[in-house]
Amino acid sequence: AKGILNMTDDTQFISTYDFRFGDQDDEYFELNMSGNAYLFVEDAGDQMRQNNGEFHFDISENAIMEVARIRARARTEGVTNTVTVRDNGQIICFDDYFRFAGGGSDVVVNVLDNGIVDADGYIGFGEDNDFSATATINMSGQLMKGDGWRMIMDGSASGFTTVNLSSGVIDTGYIESDTDNWVVNICGDGVWIVDGDRV
């Protein structure tokens, strides 16, 4: 199954139900938002959730995705899921985490050109023990903010996380990991603020 949602020019998508995409390995979902488009999903439990398949988000040109949480498990091997926030686009998780938990799918998150990711909870990559893929975060936008940042949170996971921070600000209360399967590259004008209780 293939699903594509294109939102432009002040269009709005408002839902009081969970927004689920990718329950089977062969499912594909694409979300493109631009031109002040607005997507809101009320807190109905699972929120934006993906278990399998492949997905791609592109949030740009002042578009805003506002959901309680994003929960991607990414269990389909051999695909790369992407989230790109650019050109003043925003992803706001107003009640909890922005996380990519496990499985064999690679994930690339690009926050570019004044893009913003703002999570009321933590930002996480590779939390489950079956995380065997790679997570790459390329940050040159305006802001990534959460109350914490989790990298590879199960010691038996074999995946790897890379954070490339070249400009903009990552602001988290803490950074934590159960493995050493990660690398953080900070260069240029990049700033990472850690103002919580642990690194």
Side-chain angles (χ1 to χ4, degrees):
K2 184 174 185 178
I4 299 176
L5 176 59
N6 296 316
M7 299 178 61
T8 61
D9 303 326
D10 299 311
T11 56
Q12 296 187 2
F13 183 103
I14 311 294
S15 176
T16 58
Y17 297 94
D18 291 332
F19 195 117
R20 296 187 62 166
F21 53 95
D23 282 331
Q24 304 295 327
D25 283 343
D26 60 350
E27 291 181 347
Y28 175 97
F29 178 70
E30 184 177 316
L31 171 64
N32 300 300
M33 297 178 63
S34 63
N36 297 304
Y38 179 69
L39 183 148
F40 178 86
V41 182
E42 190 173 290
D43 188 357
D46 283 335
Q47 280 293 294
M48 297 286 287
R49 176 176 174 176
Q50 180 253 18
N51 285 325
N52 294 287
E54 179 180 351
F55 68 91
H56 302 279
F57 291 174
D58 189 353
I59 317 298
S60 68
E61 298 174 2
N62 301 303
I64 298 174
M65 175 198 291
E66 189 171 7
V67 298
R69 66 189 65 86
I70 293 177
R71 180 184 183 188
R73 287 199 171 101
R75 302 195 184 283
T76 299
E77 295 184 5
V79 302
T80 299
N81 302 307
T82 62
V83 176
T84 299
V85 187
R86 58 189 175 89
D87 300 326
N88 298 305
Q90 296 185 51
I91 293 180
I92 299 169
C93 298
F94 60 82
D95 188 48
D96 214 330
Y97 45 69
F98 174 82
R99 78 171 189 174
F100 302 84
S105 300
D106 295 330
V107 61
V108 177
V109 175
N110 302 303
V111 182
L112 317 169
D113 306 322
N114 292 314
I116 293 174
V117 172
D118 188 351
D120 185 65
Y122 63 86
I123 297 171
F125 300 91
E127 293 186 77
D128 295 345
N129 60 7
D130 66 344
F131 178 63
S132 58
T134 63
T136 304
I137 301 87
N138 298 310
M139 171 60 181
S140 62
Q142 180 176 339
L143 177 68
M144 293 187 74
K145 184 176 182 180
D147 68 3
W149 188 289
R150 299 181 179 181
M151 293 182 283
I152 321 293
M153 289 307 299
D154 191 298
S156 62
S158 60
F160 199 92
T161 294
T162 301
V163 181
N164 298 310
L165 170 56
S166 59
S167 64
V169 176
I170 295 177
D171 185 352
T172 57
Y174 61 84
I175 304 173
E176 66 180 357
S177 179
D178 283 344
T179 79
D180 58 1
N181 297 352
W182 55 271
V183 62
V184 173
N185 300 306
I186 303 177
C187 60
D189 297 324
V191 176
W192 196 320
I193 299 170
V194 182
D195 54 8
D197 57 1
R198 61 192 181 279
V199 177

